[in-house]
Amino acid sequence: MGINKFLLAAVLTMVSTPLFSSQSVADNIQSFGTATFAELKAEFADQPFVVSLWSVDCLPCRVELEMLGELKKEDPSFPLLLISTDSIENREEAVYILEEYELETIESWMFADAFIERLRFSIDPAWHGELPRSYFYTADHTFTAHSGILTREKLMEFFPMEATGD
Amino acid sequence: MLRTHGLAELIMRMSLMISKRAAWPLVALLTALSLSTLFMSSHVAAESCQSLRELHGVDVVSIHCGGAPSATLDADGRLWVAFVQNKHVFVSRSDDNGQTYTAPVQVNAVAEDTEYNGENRPKIIVAESGEVLLSWTTKTSPNFTGEIRFTRSIDGGRTFEAPRTMNDDGLMTGHRFDSLFLTDSGKLYLTWIDKRDLDAAAARSETYPGAAIYYTVSDDLGATFTQNFRVSHNSCECCRIAMAPHGEDDIAILWRQIYNEEIRDHAIAVLGTDGEVTGLNRATVDDWVINACPHHGPSMVEASTEGEYHISWFSAGNLHSGIHYGRYNMANGAAEDIIKVDGTPGAGHPYLASFDGTLYIVWKGFNGIASQLQMMQSRDDGASWSQPETLFNTGRASDHPLLVSSEHGVFLSWSSEEFGYIFKELSHGHQ
């Protein structure tokens, strides 16, 4: 599986997502490959953003998802990159969970390569894989990492709202 | 505290979610998937699943395509491997140390959502008298619920009894991360992570960090089992449990345990056949303050001195970060000769085995591009170690490495996209 295949997959996903709306679940989940994080950072050039990593098999992640669901409802423009470390082949289960927190319609990502060590490394070489895991990027893209449930209080501490420019 | 309150509330809400959505699409999936599988016998060593699929189609059932295989050697030194594919557990045997395998035998006639991942895989043991014993976890909803399943074959692996659910609480809650162990004296232990006490606490609006460890025992090779016994409250929810013998009939187990509500280090205990739990103690002091799922369970084997155990674990704690080894002494309740095996962030999933006076540890490293299957040995019970040796290097996906030991040697059991399923002797040439 070369990088080309990933780029191709990424391009196909972007191009074809609306065409596959015949899928039984309406979601906005994109494939996360080895190049995706770099692309997302480029999209957020000079802008702060928050990354939240979760998986369907992580109980503490549900507490964080609930907080994020409320946050996105209050502020739909909040710059959140929500990434599931589950295989995108299991998207139905992820959507089932995201629906509980009204997060299924926001753009989010799922791991799309079985070689998860490399995907984790592409996000942060220092991450051991524990979940939930979150990152707080400033406008110049220096970042702080956090392991464990991200509460609203911690989010405010690591990512003050004024940093979003609101 | 907001965190614990949030969790208790979440548990209660999840029970509602489960009843509300009882007909979750799983049922339809199971029905659809229970058909049309092609069984095949692979006569070429170390094939990749990709090449098998090119030859036999995408539905090929093979040890090289199956999920999360685990292996055991029987009394005659024959290799048995259990794996999951298409919602079924399969068993294959090899009489030539993994060169060729028999056609996979389907264990569960009715498809079920069998968990298979690094920390959750079917377990297989073959008793000296030939019974093939299997356990696994079946997921019953997307909300961490599951059942501990057990079955066996009393005709040499040709057919299997209908699987039985071993958790005896009848609750739709978490029963997962099963481990199976057979003592030389014939006592069969099945342990798992259980959330019945968490649910009970949530119903009383009380907080309950983590889950609990439960077990059951059979003294007739799985024909019957005892009631379920609790080992400990407040275990971590998502890591495999390590098991080793203790005396003739008892076993020692090692698991990730929650201390002071937010530290996830390890505990050890001795389990007896009648439900008696002794020697419950903290085994590692890593000070890993985390309210998250490490999905990273420990490994343990008996040391040469009675009451001592070689243990290996992962932590990102303040005191220990990375993969560690230590020799836990039950008499003084502490681990000695602790070393950092690999502190690289991508490194994980250590597994121990011993054979003929040599202790082996394997684990997975990651250098940013590829995974390395690493091995070290100690010939003095863990006091000193050889330099790490890279056995395999792969730029594609791979499973956690496992070790299988018998009187014949120590063998690596490992599945990877690139090499397929590998069963390889490590003791040969390392004497």
Side-chain angles (χ1 to χ4, degrees), chain A residues 57 62 66 96 100 117 131, chain B residues 21 142-143 176 292-293 364:
Chain A
D57 207 22
R62 304 285 176 97
E66 178 165 22
Y96 172 90
E100 292 298 325
E117 289 91 342
L131 293 169
Chain B
R21 297 231 208 167
N143 294 315
R176 297 165 67 217
C293 273
K364 250 169 83 175

Side-chain angles (χ1 to χ4, degrees), chain A residues 62-131:
Chain A
R62 304 285 176 97
V63 180
E64 181 164 323
L65 286 175
E66 178 165 22
M67 185 277 287
L68 293 172
E70 286 163 7
L71 179 75
K72 285 298 276 188
K73 212 186 291 176
E74 288 165 26
D75 178 9
S77 68
F78 187 87
L80 172 70
L81 301 182
L82 186 60
I83 304 168
S84 150
T85 62
D86 306 292
S87 165
I88 196 159
E89 288 167 22
N90 298 333
R91 73 191 292 153
E92 272 196 38
E93 193 172 346
V95 169
Y96 172 90
I97 292 159
L98 290 175
E99 278 172 356
E100 292 298 325
Y101 306 104
E102 297 179 44
L103 283 164
E104 77 281 9
T105 55
I106 75 156
E107 189 180 42
S108 73
W109 288 262
M110 285 183 85
F111 275 18
D113 183 343
F115 195 10
I116 55 166
E117 289 91 342
R118 195 165 54 187
L119 295 182
R120 291 205 303 242
F121 191 88
S122 76
I123 295 165
D124 175 14
W127 173 36
H128 293 281
E130 69 278 9
L131 293 169

Side-chain angles (χ1 to χ4, degrees), chain B residues 19-32:
Chain B
S19 48
K20 195 171 76 187
R21 297 231 208 167
W24 131 265
L26 195 84
V27 182
L29 249 176
L30 291 182
T31 322

Side-chain angles (χ1 to χ4, degrees), chain A residues 56-60 62 66 93 96 99-101 114-115 117-118 121 125-126 128 130-132 147-149 153, chain B residues 2 10 13-14 17 21 139 142-144 176 290-293 295 314 345 364 366 368-369 371 395 397 417:
Chain A
V56 300
D57 207 22
C58 161
L59 176 69
R62 304 285 176 97
E66 178 165 22
E93 193 172 346
Y96 172 90
E99 278 172 356
E100 292 298 325
Y101 306 104
F115 195 10
E117 289 91 342
R118 195 165 54 187
F121 191 88
H128 293 281
E130 69 278 9
L131 293 169
S147 288
I149 297 168
E153 290 76 8
Chain B
L2 210 143
L10 182 77
R13 194 129 15 109
M14 246 166 225
M17 274 169 71
R21 297 231 208 167
K139 212 168 173 171
N143 294 315
F144 319 104
R176 297 165 67 217
I290 188 167
N291 197 346
C293 273
H295 276 276
F314 170 82
K364 250 169 83 175
F366 181 69
I369 299 159
S371 292
E417 243 179 49

